[in-house]
Structure formats: structure tokens, C-alpha cells
Amino acid sequence: MATYDFLVVGAGIFGITTAIELRQKGFKVGTLNPGSIPHPLAASTDISKIVRMEYGSDFDYLKMADQCIDGWKSWNELFNTTLYHEVGFLLLCKKKMEDPSQEFEKSSYGNLILAGHSPQRLDEASIPERFPAIRPGIFVDGFFHPRAGFAESGRAVAMLTEYARQLGVDIQEQQTVHELIKEAGTITGARTREGNSYLSSHTIVCAGAFTPYLIPELLPYIKVTGHPVFHIQPSKPDLFDMPDFPVFAADISNSGWYGFPTHPTEKVIKIANHGKGLDLHPEDDERVVLPQDHEKLKSFLEETFPSLLEQKIVYTRRCVYTDTLDGHFWIDQHPALNGLTIGTGGSGHGYKMGPVLGKLIAAAALGETHPWLDRFRWRELAEDTLNVEEARGK
């Protein structure tokens, strides 16, 4: 029976970065993951995730994301490949940014300037002139920020996993944890559906949408939601090619729509919706894109990107978010069980934070302090608590 200093349950972006951080500190680390890595249903998986600093009025998240961009660049250097593509981020508004309905965009723009960055303000005429794929007259305001882009998400998790193996992390794939082992108020490991047990001095659950089902005390504070993702094959890819076309958010605080330039290897344009999503169970419910999702996409493309309206959709998925009620990460030791730490609550904006997530979770497990950790501690939330992220659409 394998025994570790730290056992990490889950090898998405939360779990694999935690395993790397702890192994680099000299600990014996094991990681369990259901299926292969990256798991095809994991939130970390897909061809791309946005890496951006724009967080509305939340200056701390801006600072975290700023540091993470440096981290993504260092991973590019470490692996001698481009996992993070710095193509910039375009935020588009249907009304002037001073309008109350555009508070997310206005606050993001103001905080970037406050932090010493130089976002480029755009107007109704300059938007389609600079980005011809966009239908003229739809967006009247916005800005472009060059320090942003996207990460090749599934590929990055795969490379981080291989790096963890090279460091000596014992990675066990095809091991689905169904029960934490508890002895006298202490978690001492985990059992899997495959019939194996793994012991540890400390267990860290980074199981994404399955976390509240392994730790039911979290169920009142976390809900699992699914959000439609589309991969479109363009007949005029030059309109969306990097570096001239960036990652974009199309009136996202009101519509939820965002997307990417033509992917460098898959040659598709990914468009998705960062809204409220559908409540679902991570295992019992199908993760399918519904006809009404297709209709909403059609309306969006007709209004915004007419050249994509009749193009082939080659892939769809319903991306699963592990939503805390307030939209913040949940990173802390369990208040009542010894030997257990939780790292979860990506809430649809966690992937970009990969370069700092492992450091935060490892610090929590080790009982160390970290300047960003306090806001993500175990907390009591009323059931009517509102998600505070300002980019989640209406």
C-alpha cells in the first residue's frame, strides 16, 4: 500500500501545480486522477483558456493574474514551447464604458491604468477598422490590452504532469477516489473505485466538480454549473488569425460571450459563454450543448461575426465550473478534520491562475501564510450569497 507525505486527489490545474510545488519542497507526493491526464471531462481540458488581468473592481485578482502572466511566460521557457500565446485581450461594449451597464469594463480599464498598464481605448469607428471580422455599428466602446492572451489548456496540463513525473511525483491515473479514509478525526488517505487504498500524512482534495461530493460539508457552498463551448471551422481564417486578432469578450458582463483567435494547431475558433450556466451533477448529468445554446450562438454570430454564421461547428462541450457561491476560490485546511486540505472553487476563472494556485494550496496544507490566501479560507456563506465576479453575464 503506497504511503506519502502528501496525497493530491485530482490532477487538473489545481492539483498538478500543487503536487509540483510540494515535490519541489522535498516531500514525497502522490497524485490520483480518474481516467487519463488531462481528463477529457476536466474543466482544465480543452484547447484554450483565457489568461487576462481584467477583473473589474477587484484589484487583488488583477495583481494575481499579472503575476501569473509572468509565470506562464516562465513555463514557456521551461518547456521550450509556447503554451501561453500573448495575443492581447479585446473588451467590447455596446454602450459607452461610463454607462452603468458597462461597470465591469470601465473598472477593468481604470484598474489597469492604476496598476501602471496601458490599455488602448477604442471607439465605434476604430473597432471594425482594426478588427474587420466584427460587424460595424454593434460595439461603440471598448479597449485592447496587449498583456493578455490564452493558454493551450489541455496541452499545458499534460506537460506539467510529465514535469511532475520527472520531479518524482508518483502519478496514478485511472484511480477514481470515492472515499477519504478517516481515523479518529484525521484523514489518513483515500480509497478508489478500482479497489486500491493510498495512505498519506496529509491529503489534499483538488477534485474539481467532485470535491463537494467527497467533502459533503461543502455542498451548501459550492454548486456545479455547465457552460456551452463551440469550436467553429472558419472558411476565412485570416480574419481571425493571430497576432492581428486577439482573445475577445463581447459585452461579456451583459452577454457572457467570449472567444479566441484561430487556434494555432486545431485551426478552429473557440467561442463560449461565461454566464450563469446550467446546474448539473458532474457524473449523473450529460454534459451536452442544447438546441437553445445553438440558437443563442447563432444570434450572437449574426450580430457580431457574420462571416462565422454559416460555418461548420466541429465540436461542442459543456464546460463544468465548480462555482463557489461568492465566486472566490476555496483553499484551506478543513476546520474539523485533521490532515485534510481543500483546493477548489475555480468558478470559471481559475485556470489562468495556475502559476500561483499550487503555491497557495501548498501554503495552506503546510500551515504557512501567503498574502492572497486569507480571502480564500473556509468561510460560512448564506445560500443567497451572490457571485461577485463582474464578468459572468446576465
PDB file of all heavy atoms in Angstrom, residues 133-163:
ATOM      1  N   ALA A 133     -13.286  41.485 -38.735  1.00  0.00           N
ATOM      2  CA  ALA A 133     -14.245  40.388 -38.548  1.00  0.00           C
ATOM      3  C   ALA A 133     -15.490  40.836 -37.797  1.00  0.00           C
ATOM      4  O   ALA A 133     -16.542  40.190 -37.875  1.00  0.00           O
ATOM      5  CB  ALA A 133     -13.587  39.243 -37.795  1.00  0.00           C
ATOM      6  N   ILE A 134     -15.406  41.950 -37.081  1.00  0.00           N
ATOM      7  CA  ILE A 134     -16.507  42.427 -36.244  1.00  0.00           C
ATOM      8  C   ILE A 134     -17.454  43.295 -37.065  1.00  0.00           C
ATOM      9  O   ILE A 134     -17.028  44.216 -37.768  1.00  0.00           O
ATOM     10  CB  ILE A 134     -15.958  43.226 -35.048  1.00  0.00           C
ATOM     11  CG1 ILE A 134     -15.057  42.331 -34.192  1.00  0.00           C
ATOM     12  CG2 ILE A 134     -17.097  43.797 -34.204  1.00  0.00           C
ATOM     13  CD1 ILE A 134     -14.298  43.073 -33.117  1.00  0.00           C
ATOM     14  N   ARG A 135     -18.753  43.024 -36.963  1.00  0.00           N
ATOM     15  CA  ARG A 135     -19.743  43.806 -37.699  1.00  0.00           C
ATOM     16  C   ARG A 135     -19.726  45.256 -37.212  1.00  0.00           C
ATOM     17  O   ARG A 135     -19.805  45.508 -36.002  1.00  0.00           O
ATOM     18  CB  ARG A 135     -21.142  43.215 -37.493  1.00  0.00           C
ATOM     19  CG  ARG A 135     -22.228  43.931 -38.321  1.00  0.00           C
ATOM     20  CD  ARG A 135     -23.623  43.483 -37.903  1.00  0.00           C
ATOM     21  NE  ARG A 135     -23.916  42.135 -38.318  1.00  0.00           N
ATOM     22  CZ  ARG A 135     -24.371  41.786 -39.522  1.00  0.00           C
ATOM     23  NH1 ARG A 135     -24.554  42.730 -40.447  1.00  0.00           N
ATOM     24  NH2 ARG A 135     -24.622  40.516 -39.806  1.00  0.00           N
ATOM     25  N   PRO A 136     -19.626  46.210 -38.117  1.00  0.00           N
ATOM     26  CA  PRO A 136     -19.627  47.625 -37.709  1.00  0.00           C
ATOM     27  C   PRO A 136     -20.938  48.029 -37.042  1.00  0.00           C
ATOM     28  O   PRO A 136     -22.014  47.501 -37.365  1.00  0.00           O
ATOM     29  CB  PRO A 136     -19.433  48.373 -39.034  1.00  0.00           C
ATOM     30  CG  PRO A 136     -18.848  47.364 -39.978  1.00  0.00           C
ATOM     31  CD  PRO A 136     -19.424  46.046 -39.567  1.00  0.00           C
ATOM     32  N   GLY A 137     -20.841  48.961 -36.105  1.00  0.00           N
ATOM     33  CA  GLY A 137     -22.025  49.561 -35.504  1.00  0.00           C
ATOM     34  C   GLY A 137     -22.591  48.829 -34.314  1.00  0.00           C
ATOM     35  O   GLY A 137     -23.534  49.323 -33.682  1.00  0.00           O
ATOM     36  N   ILE A 138     -22.054  47.674 -33.966  1.00  0.00           N
ATOM     37  CA  ILE A 138     -22.571  46.904 -32.839  1.00  0.00           C
ATOM     38  C   ILE A 138     -21.955  47.367 -31.525  1.00  0.00           C
ATOM     39  O   ILE A 138     -22.636  47.559 -30.519  1.00  0.00           O
ATOM     40  CB  ILE A 138     -22.317  45.388 -33.042  1.00  0.00           C
ATOM     41  CG1 ILE A 138     -23.044  44.900 -34.290  1.00  0.00           C
ATOM     42  CG2 ILE A 138     -22.769  44.606 -31.818  1.00  0.00           C
ATOM     43  CD1 ILE A 138     -24.541  45.082 -34.250  1.00  0.00           C
ATOM     44  N   PHE A 139     -20.659  47.565 -31.541  1.00  0.00           N
ATOM     45  CA  PHE A 139     -19.937  47.954 -30.334  1.00  0.00           C
ATOM     46  C   PHE A 139     -19.448  49.395 -30.476  1.00  0.00           C
ATOM     47  O   PHE A 139     -18.822  49.752 -31.476  1.00  0.00           O
ATOM     48  CB  PHE A 139     -18.770  46.999 -30.078  1.00  0.00           C
ATOM     49  CG  PHE A 139     -19.201  45.562 -29.964  1.00  0.00           C
ATOM     50  CD1 PHE A 139     -18.993  44.670 -31.003  1.00  0.00           C
ATOM     51  CD2 PHE A 139     -19.844  45.113 -28.825  1.00  0.00           C
ATOM     52  CE1 PHE A 139     -19.396  43.356 -30.907  1.00  0.00           C
ATOM     53  CE2 PHE A 139     -20.273  43.794 -28.711  1.00  0.00           C
ATOM     54  CZ  PHE A 139     -20.045  42.909 -29.757  1.00  0.00           C
ATOM     55  N   VAL A 140     -19.732  50.186 -29.466  1.00  0.00           N
ATOM     56  CA  VAL A 140     -19.440  51.624 -29.549  1.00  0.00           C
ATOM     57  C   VAL A 140     -18.255  52.030 -28.685  1.00  0.00           C
ATOM     58  O   VAL A 140     -17.802  53.180 -28.758  1.00  0.00           O
ATOM     59  CB  VAL A 140     -20.679  52.451 -29.154  1.00  0.00           C
ATOM     60  CG1 VAL A 140     -21.868  52.092 -30.036  1.00  0.00           C
ATOM     61  CG2 VAL A 140     -21.033  52.269 -27.683  1.00  0.00           C
ATOM     62  N   ASP A 141     -17.746  51.122 -27.881  1.00  0.00           N
ATOM     63  CA  ASP A 141     -16.662  51.465 -26.968  1.00  0.00           C
ATOM     64  C   ASP A 141     -15.936  50.177 -26.599  1.00  0.00           C
ATOM     65  O   ASP A 141     -16.407  49.062 -26.860  1.00  0.00           O
ATOM     66  CB  ASP A 141     -17.223  52.145 -25.712  1.00  0.00           C
ATOM     67  CG  ASP A 141     -16.197  53.020 -24.997  1.00  0.00           C
ATOM     68  OD1 ASP A 141     -15.006  52.964 -25.365  1.00  0.00           O
ATOM     69  OD2 ASP A 141     -16.601  53.740 -24.063  1.00  0.00           O
ATOM     70  N   GLY A 142     -14.788  50.336 -25.971  1.00  0.00           N
ATOM     71  CA  GLY A 142     -14.031  49.188 -25.516  1.00  0.00           C
ATOM     72  C   GLY A 142     -12.562  49.516 -25.422  1.00  0.00           C
ATOM     73  O   GLY A 142     -12.153  50.672 -25.541  1.00  0.00           O
ATOM     74  N   PHE A 143     -11.765  48.475 -25.198  1.00  0.00           N
ATOM     75  CA  PHE A 143     -10.324  48.686 -25.160  1.00  0.00           C
ATOM     76  C   PHE A 143      -9.595  47.388 -25.468  1.00  0.00           C
ATOM     77  O   PHE A 143     -10.160  46.286 -25.367  1.00  0.00           O
ATOM     78  CB  PHE A 143      -9.866  49.259 -23.810  1.00  0.00           C
ATOM     79  CG  PHE A 143     -10.039  48.352 -22.623  1.00  0.00           C
ATOM     80  CD1 PHE A 143      -9.033  47.474 -22.221  1.00  0.00           C
ATOM     81  CD2 PHE A 143     -11.214  48.388 -21.870  1.00  0.00           C
ATOM     82  CE1 PHE A 143      -9.184  46.664 -21.115  1.00  0.00           C
ATOM     83  CE2 PHE A 143     -11.373  47.578 -20.753  1.00  0.00           C
ATOM     84  CZ  PHE A 143     -10.358  46.700 -20.383  1.00  0.00           C
ATOM     85  N   PHE A 144      -8.343  47.546 -25.858  1.00  0.00           N
ATOM     86  CA  PHE A 144      -7.455  46.426 -26.137  1.00  0.00           C
ATOM     87  C   PHE A 144      -6.274  46.502 -25.186  1.00  0.00           C
ATOM     88  O   PHE A 144      -5.653  47.549 -25.028  1.00  0.00           O
ATOM     89  CB  PHE A 144      -6.953  46.471 -27.586  1.00  0.00           C
ATOM     90  CG  PHE A 144      -5.895  45.444 -27.892  1.00  0.00           C
ATOM     91  CD1 PHE A 144      -6.234  44.116 -28.094  1.00  0.00           C
ATOM     92  CD2 PHE A 144      -4.556  45.803 -27.964  1.00  0.00           C
ATOM     93  CE1 PHE A 144      -5.256  43.161 -28.357  1.00  0.00           C
ATOM     94  CE2 PHE A 144      -3.564  44.870 -28.236  1.00  0.00           C
ATOM     95  CZ  PHE A 144      -3.919  43.541 -28.445  1.00  0.00           C
ATOM     96  N   HIS A 145      -5.982  45.367 -24.527  1.00  0.00           N
ATOM     97  CA  HIS A 145      -4.854  45.314 -23.606  1.00  0.00           C
ATOM     98  C   HIS A 145      -3.875  44.250 -24.091  1.00  0.00           C
ATOM     99  O   HIS A 145      -4.228  43.057 -24.143  1.00  0.00           O
ATOM    100  CB  HIS A 145      -5.325  44.996 -22.191  1.00  0.00           C
ATOM    101  CG  HIS A 145      -4.228  45.035 -21.186  1.00  0.00           C
ATOM    102  ND1 HIS A 145      -4.200  44.216 -20.077  1.00  0.00           N
ATOM    103  CD2 HIS A 145      -3.097  45.782 -21.119  1.00  0.00           C
ATOM    104  CE1 HIS A 145      -3.112  44.463 -19.373  1.00  0.00           C
ATOM    105  NE2 HIS A 145      -2.419  45.399 -19.980  1.00  0.00           N
ATOM    106  N   PRO A 146      -2.651  44.628 -24.448  1.00  0.00           N
ATOM    107  CA  PRO A 146      -1.716  43.662 -25.042  1.00  0.00           C
ATOM    108  C   PRO A 146      -1.174  42.624 -24.072  1.00  0.00           C
ATOM    109  O   PRO A 146      -0.732  41.555 -24.513  1.00  0.00           O
ATOM    110  CB  PRO A 146      -0.595  44.550 -25.605  1.00  0.00           C
ATOM    111  CG  PRO A 146      -0.671  45.812 -24.823  1.00  0.00           C
ATOM    112  CD  PRO A 146      -2.128  46.008 -24.500  1.00  0.00           C
ATOM    113  N   ARG A 147      -1.180  42.898 -22.766  1.00  0.00           N
ATOM    114  CA  ARG A 147      -0.643  41.928 -21.803  1.00  0.00           C
ATOM    115  C   ARG A 147      -1.747  40.949 -21.399  1.00  0.00           C
ATOM    116  O   ARG A 147      -2.342  41.015 -20.312  1.00  0.00           O
ATOM    117  CB  ARG A 147      -0.064  42.644 -20.587  1.00  0.00           C
ATOM    118  CG  ARG A 147       0.629  41.703 -19.586  1.00  0.00           C
ATOM    119  CD  ARG A 147       1.360  42.485 -18.514  1.00  0.00           C
ATOM    120  NE  ARG A 147       1.733  41.689 -17.360  1.00  0.00           N
ATOM    121  CZ  ARG A 147       2.797  40.875 -17.286  1.00  0.00           C
ATOM    122  NH1 ARG A 147       3.579  40.749 -18.341  1.00  0.00           N
ATOM    123  NH2 ARG A 147       3.073  40.211 -16.181  1.00  0.00           N
ATOM    124  N   ALA A 148      -2.016  40.033 -22.281  1.00  0.00           N
ATOM    125  CA  ALA A 148      -3.071  39.038 -22.084  1.00  0.00           C
ATOM    126  C   ALA A 148      -2.992  38.066 -23.254  1.00  0.00           C
ATOM    127  O   ALA A 148      -2.226  38.256 -24.196  1.00  0.00           O
ATOM    128  CB  ALA A 148      -4.447  39.704 -22.025  1.00  0.00           C
ATOM    129  N   GLY A 149      -3.795  37.025 -23.192  1.00  0.00           N
ATOM    130  CA  GLY A 149      -3.812  36.070 -24.291  1.00  0.00           C
ATOM    131  C   GLY A 149      -4.516  34.791 -23.885  1.00  0.00           C
ATOM    132  O   GLY A 149      -5.519  34.818 -23.185  1.00  0.00           O
ATOM    133  N   PHE A 150      -3.965  33.669 -24.321  1.00  0.00           N
ATOM    134  CA  PHE A 150      -4.586  32.397 -23.958  1.00  0.00           C
ATOM    135  C   PHE A 150      -3.516  31.326 -23.777  1.00  0.00           C
ATOM    136  O   PHE A 150      -2.405  31.409 -24.318  1.00  0.00           O
ATOM    137  CB  PHE A 150      -5.613  31.945 -24.998  1.00  0.00           C
ATOM    138  CG  PHE A 150      -5.037  31.516 -26.330  1.00  0.00           C
ATOM    139  CD1 PHE A 150      -4.725  30.186 -26.580  1.00  0.00           C
ATOM    140  CD2 PHE A 150      -4.824  32.437 -27.343  1.00  0.00           C
ATOM    141  CE1 PHE A 150      -4.197  29.786 -27.798  1.00  0.00           C
ATOM    142  CE2 PHE A 150      -4.301  32.051 -28.568  1.00  0.00           C
ATOM    143  CZ  PHE A 150      -3.994  30.724 -28.804  1.00  0.00           C
ATOM    144  N   ALA A 151      -3.879  30.326 -22.977  1.00  0.00           N
ATOM    145  CA  ALA A 151      -3.026  29.162 -22.768  1.00  0.00           C
ATOM    146  C   ALA A 151      -3.646  27.961 -23.461  1.00  0.00           C
ATOM    147  O   ALA A 151      -4.868  27.807 -23.486  1.00  0.00           O
ATOM    148  CB  ALA A 151      -2.863  28.885 -21.280  1.00  0.00           C
ATOM    149  N   GLU A 152      -2.803  27.123 -24.033  1.00  0.00           N
ATOM    150  CA  GLU A 152      -3.276  25.854 -24.584  1.00  0.00           C
ATOM    151  C   GLU A 152      -3.490  24.914 -23.398  1.00  0.00           C
ATOM    152  O   GLU A 152      -2.575  24.257 -22.909  1.00  0.00           O
ATOM    153  CB  GLU A 152      -2.263  25.299 -25.574  1.00  0.00           C
ATOM    154  CG  GLU A 152      -2.105  26.184 -26.817  1.00  0.00           C
ATOM    155  CD  GLU A 152      -1.226  25.549 -27.872  1.00  0.00           C
ATOM    156  OE1 GLU A 152      -1.378  24.328 -28.126  1.00  0.00           O
ATOM    157  OE2 GLU A 152      -0.382  26.266 -28.444  1.00  0.00           O
ATOM    158  N   SER A 153      -4.716  24.848 -22.947  1.00  0.00           N
ATOM    159  CA  SER A 153      -5.017  24.355 -21.602  1.00  0.00           C
ATOM    160  C   SER A 153      -4.750  22.869 -21.399  1.00  0.00           C
ATOM    161  O   SER A 153      -4.006  22.484 -20.483  1.00  0.00           O
ATOM    162  CB  SER A 153      -6.461  24.707 -21.242  1.00  0.00           C
ATOM    163  OG  SER A 153      -7.340  24.380 -22.308  1.00  0.00           O
ATOM    164  N   GLY A 154      -5.359  22.015 -22.192  1.00  0.00           N
ATOM    165  CA  GLY A 154      -5.124  20.593 -22.015  1.00  0.00           C
ATOM    166  C   GLY A 154      -3.665  20.234 -22.232  1.00  0.00           C
ATOM    167  O   GLY A 154      -3.091  19.418 -21.507  1.00  0.00           O
ATOM    168  N   ARG A 155      -3.060  20.844 -23.229  1.00  0.00           N
ATOM    169  CA  ARG A 155      -1.644  20.590 -23.519  1.00  0.00           C
ATOM    170  C   ARG A 155      -0.766  21.017 -22.350  1.00  0.00           C
ATOM    171  O   ARG A 155       0.204  20.328 -22.005  1.00  0.00           O
ATOM    172  CB  ARG A 155      -1.254  21.331 -24.797  1.00  0.00           C
ATOM    173  CG  ARG A 155       0.185  21.137 -25.234  1.00  0.00           C
ATOM    174  CD  ARG A 155       0.404  21.686 -26.627  1.00  0.00           C
ATOM    175  NE  ARG A 155       1.823  21.767 -26.941  1.00  0.00           N
ATOM    176  CZ  ARG A 155       2.488  22.887 -27.143  1.00  0.00           C
ATOM    177  NH1 ARG A 155       1.863  24.063 -27.071  1.00  0.00           N
ATOM    178  NH2 ARG A 155       3.777  22.871 -27.419  1.00  0.00           N
ATOM    179  N   ALA A 156      -1.085  22.145 -21.732  1.00  0.00           N
ATOM    180  CA  ALA A 156      -0.290  22.619 -20.601  1.00  0.00           C
ATOM    181  C   ALA A 156      -0.382  21.653 -19.425  1.00  0.00           C
ATOM    182  O   ALA A 156       0.627  21.356 -18.773  1.00  0.00           O
ATOM    183  CB  ALA A 156      -0.751  24.015 -20.182  1.00  0.00           C
ATOM    184  N   VAL A 157      -1.585  21.151 -19.121  1.00  0.00           N
ATOM    185  CA  VAL A 157      -1.729  20.187 -18.029  1.00  0.00           C
ATOM    186  C   VAL A 157      -0.922  18.927 -18.315  1.00  0.00           C
ATOM    187  O   VAL A 157      -0.267  18.371 -17.424  1.00  0.00           O
ATOM    188  CB  VAL A 157      -3.216  19.857 -17.793  1.00  0.00           C
ATOM    189  CG1 VAL A 157      -3.374  18.654 -16.862  1.00  0.00           C
ATOM    190  CG2 VAL A 157      -3.940  21.059 -17.202  1.00  0.00           C
ATOM    191  N   ALA A 158      -0.935  18.468 -19.576  1.00  0.00           N
ATOM    192  CA  ALA A 158      -0.165  17.280 -19.941  1.00  0.00           C
ATOM    193  C   ALA A 158       1.334  17.516 -19.718  1.00  0.00           C
ATOM    194  O   ALA A 158       2.042  16.635 -19.197  1.00  0.00           O
ATOM    195  CB  ALA A 158      -0.436  16.899 -21.396  1.00  0.00           C
ATOM    196  N   MET A 159       1.822  18.685 -20.087  1.00  0.00           N
ATOM    197  CA  MET A 159       3.249  18.963 -19.936  1.00  0.00           C
ATOM    198  C   MET A 159       3.626  19.141 -18.471  1.00  0.00           C
ATOM    199  O   MET A 159       4.697  18.701 -18.030  1.00  0.00           O
ATOM    200  CB  MET A 159       3.637  20.195 -20.752  1.00  0.00           C
ATOM    201  CG  MET A 159       3.431  20.005 -22.245  1.00  0.00           C
ATOM    202  SD  MET A 159       4.314  21.205 -23.264  1.00  0.00           S
ATOM    203  CE  MET A 159       5.961  20.527 -23.210  1.00  0.00           C
ATOM    204  N   LEU A 160       2.758  19.774 -17.686  1.00  0.00           N
ATOM    205  CA  LEU A 160       3.009  19.900 -16.255  1.00  0.00           C
ATOM    206  C   LEU A 160       3.006  18.532 -15.578  1.00  0.00           C
ATOM    207  O   LEU A 160       3.787  18.281 -14.643  1.00  0.00           O
ATOM    208  CB  LEU A 160       1.964  20.813 -15.617  1.00  0.00           C
ATOM    209  CG  LEU A 160       2.099  22.307 -15.941  1.00  0.00           C
ATOM    210  CD1 LEU A 160       0.818  23.048 -15.568  1.00  0.00           C
ATOM    211  CD2 LEU A 160       3.299  22.914 -15.209  1.00  0.00           C
ATOM    212  N   THR A 161       2.151  17.634 -16.052  1.00  0.00           N
ATOM    213  CA  THR A 161       2.103  16.287 -15.494  1.00  0.00           C
ATOM    214  C   THR A 161       3.403  15.544 -15.761  1.00  0.00           C
ATOM    215  O   THR A 161       3.955  14.872 -14.869  1.00  0.00           O
ATOM    216  CB  THR A 161       0.910  15.510 -16.075  1.00  0.00           C
ATOM    217  OG1 THR A 161      -0.305  16.204 -15.745  1.00  0.00           O
ATOM    218  CG2 THR A 161       0.844  14.098 -15.521  1.00  0.00           C
ATOM    219  N   GLU A 162       3.909  15.646 -16.975  1.00  0.00           N
ATOM    220  CA  GLU A 162       5.168  14.989 -17.300  1.00  0.00           C
ATOM    221  C   GLU A 162       6.313  15.587 -16.478  1.00  0.00           C
ATOM    222  O   GLU A 162       7.209  14.867 -16.013  1.00  0.00           O
ATOM    223  CB  GLU A 162       5.458  15.113 -18.794  1.00  0.00           C
ATOM    224  CG  GLU A 162       6.747  14.433 -19.240  1.00  0.00           C
ATOM    225  CD  GLU A 162       6.803  12.951 -18.869  1.00  0.00           C
ATOM    226  OE1 GLU A 162       5.742  12.283 -18.837  1.00  0.00           O
ATOM    227  OE2 GLU A 162       7.926  12.463 -18.600  1.00  0.00           O
ATOM    228  N   TYR A 163       6.272  16.893 -16.283  1.00  0.00           N
ATOM    229  CA  TYR A 163       7.279  17.560 -15.460  1.00  0.00           C
ATOM    230  C   TYR A 163       7.208  17.056 -14.014  1.00  0.00           C
ATOM    231  O   TYR A 163       8.242  16.783 -13.379  1.00  0.00           O
ATOM    232  CB  TYR A 163       7.056  19.070 -15.517  1.00  0.00           C
ATOM    233  CG  TYR A 163       8.024  19.896 -14.697  1.00  0.00           C
ATOM    234  CD1 TYR A 163       9.394  19.788 -14.882  1.00  0.00           C
ATOM    235  CD2 TYR A 163       7.548  20.804 -13.754  1.00  0.00           C
ATOM    236  CE1 TYR A 163      10.279  20.558 -14.137  1.00  0.00           C
ATOM    237  CE2 TYR A 163       8.423  21.588 -13.004  1.00  0.00           C
ATOM    238  CZ  TYR A 163       9.788  21.457 -13.202  1.00  0.00           C
ATOM    239  OH  TYR A 163      10.653  22.220 -12.462  1.00  0.00           O
TER     240      TYR A 163
END
